[in-house]
Amino acid sequence: MIGKRQLVARRIVVKVGTSTLTHANGKLNLKAIDQLCYTLSGLVNEGKQVVLVSSGAIGVGLGMLGMSERPDSIPQQQAIAAVGQTQLMTVYQQRFAIYGQKIGQILLTHDVVDYPTSHQNVLNTFENLLRLNIIPIVNENDTVAVDELDHHTKFGDNDQLSAIVATMIDAELLIMLSDIEGFFDKNPRKYTDASLISRITEIDEETFEKAGGQGTKLGTGGMITKLKAAQKMLRADKSMILASGENPSIIFKLLQGDLLGTLFQAHR
């Protein structure tokens, strides 16, 4: 069909960034969270299996504690994440319950995924939750994750984490909702003539050169981390869509094949 993408996906990972879940002042964006919970519950009702990779623990914690800047100290960040994660899960629990949708929480560190026995245990948990039509909500375990010398436990960012989870559970599609409409040929915040690229079939050095800069002050990701996630999906012969998270119900349109955002998908 002209003007439509052909997308077939039963198992889907949805990643939402801090910019979707919170306002600029750090307070929770309850409207966006409600739309997200409504949409994902609807997908489960359609017979799809859905995993949510959710950022926001530190961002929400900063808002709750009245702090405007993320501190440099790792112990401070971990304490803030501990505060924010409980609030975030409480809100998810309330909102999903409105739509009769059950959720479960999975907090991961890199060593858990890398070590064969724990990797299989985590995979078993995912499989059983999905079989029961429960939405696993995944985040990096910020309160314990560190990255120093040989003690490598951090994923670095939830963009990478979402691609790792998607490939681990053999999801056909990763939908990444962000504060940008997709991948552009140049930075749309700097250049008014920037053009959205609808589909990317391979990622090379030139692609990375077009993607510069960091994410929001409350988040950790930027376009580089999203490209690395897309690269991981392409190498696994999976697909990824990067789209605006301003209105999370956009997921319905994306799955219907509407030409929104950027689809990362190899030639088929």
Side-chain angles (χ1 to χ4, degrees):
M1 182 184 297
I2 298 176
K4 288 279 188 178
R5 296 178 178 133
Q6 295 298 316
L7 278 178
V8 179
R10 179 170 182 262
R11 180 170 287 189
I12 302 163
V13 174
V14 175
K15 188 265 175 179
V16 291
T18 303
S19 60
T20 296
L21 300 172
T22 63
H23 296 290
N25 61 6
K27 300 296 184 182
L28 284 170
N29 185 338
L30 296 176
K31 178 181 178 182
I33 292 174
D34 189 63
Q35 289 179 343
L36 177 67
C37 296
Y38 164 79
T39 302
L40 299 190
S41 300
L43 295 183
V44 174
N45 287 348
E46 292 175 13
K48 298 187 184 299
Q49 296 182 331
V50 180
V51 174
L52 173 61
V53 177
S54 173
S55 298
I58 291 180
V60 172
L62 288 172
M64 290 185 68
L65 297 172
M67 303 169 66
S68 59
E69 297 290 336
R70 176 193 291 256
D72 294 329
S73 161
I74 290 178
Q76 280 184 293
Q77 291 183 24
Q78 291 173 325
I80 291 167
V83 173
Q85 186 67 25
T86 57
Q87 173 70 1
L88 194 57
M89 287 305 299
T90 297
V91 173
Y92 275 137
Q93 181 67 51
Q94 292 170 344
R95 290 304 192 272
F96 273 114
I98 293 173
Y99 305 108
Q101 177 60 51
K102 293 181 174 62
I103 60 173
Q105 179 176 226
I106 299 180
L107 296 176
L108 295 176
T109 51
H110 217 304
D111 51 350
V112 170
V113 174
D114 290 343
Y115 187 66
T117 301
S118 57
H119 176 103
Q120 187 60 51
N121 289 337
V122 169
L123 187 57
N124 291 342
T125 301
F126 274 114
E127 292 293 343
N128 279 280
L129 288 172
L130 293 172
R131 181 175 54 82
L132 295 170
N133 293 324
I134 297 170
I135 295 178
I137 299 182
V138 183
N139 195 0
E140 181 164 358
N141 194 347
D142 290 319
T143 59
V144 300
V146 295
D147 188 1
E148 52 189 34
L149 299 179
D150 59 344
H151 191 54
H152 179 60
T153 66
K154 280 186 68 66
F155 293 99
D157 57 83
N158 276 352
D159 293 337
Q160 305 292 325
L161 173 60
S162 64
I164 290 170
V165 168
T167 53
M168 180 172 67
I169 68 171
D170 200 27
E172 297 96 336
L173 177 65
L174 167 60
I175 297 176
M176 192 173 292
L177 300 183
S178 182
D179 58 351
I180 194 166
E181 294 178 11
F183 188 80
F184 289 77
D185 60 354
K186 61 182 80 171
N187 190 337
R189 296 190 176 105
K190 292 183 179 179
Y191 303 97
T192 56
D193 62 339
S195 297
L196 177 69
I197 301 175
S198 179
R199 180 173 176 178
I200 293 177
T201 56
E202 62 178 331
I203 297 172
D204 53 23
E205 288 186 17
E206 183 181 351
T207 316
F208 278 104
E209 287 174 4
K210 293 176 181 176
Q214 298 297 314
T216 65
K217 67 176 183 178
L218 296 180
T220 57
M223 190 56 71
I224 295 292
T225 64
K226 291 166 178 55
L227 281 183
K228 288 180 178 178
Q231 195 172 51
K232 178 177 284 290
M233 294 298 290
L234 289 176
R235 286 172 177 167
D237 196 27
K238 311 291 185 184
S239 302
M240 177 181 128
I241 298 177
L242 174 62
S244 170
E246 183 177 356
N247 184 345
S249 61
I250 192 177
I251 293 171
F252 285 132
K253 295 180 179 179
L254 295 174
L255 293 176
Q256 289 168 1
D258 287 13
L259 297 178
L260 299 167
T262 300
L263 171 65
F264 296 85
Q265 186 183 67
H267 285 297
R268 293 180 178 176

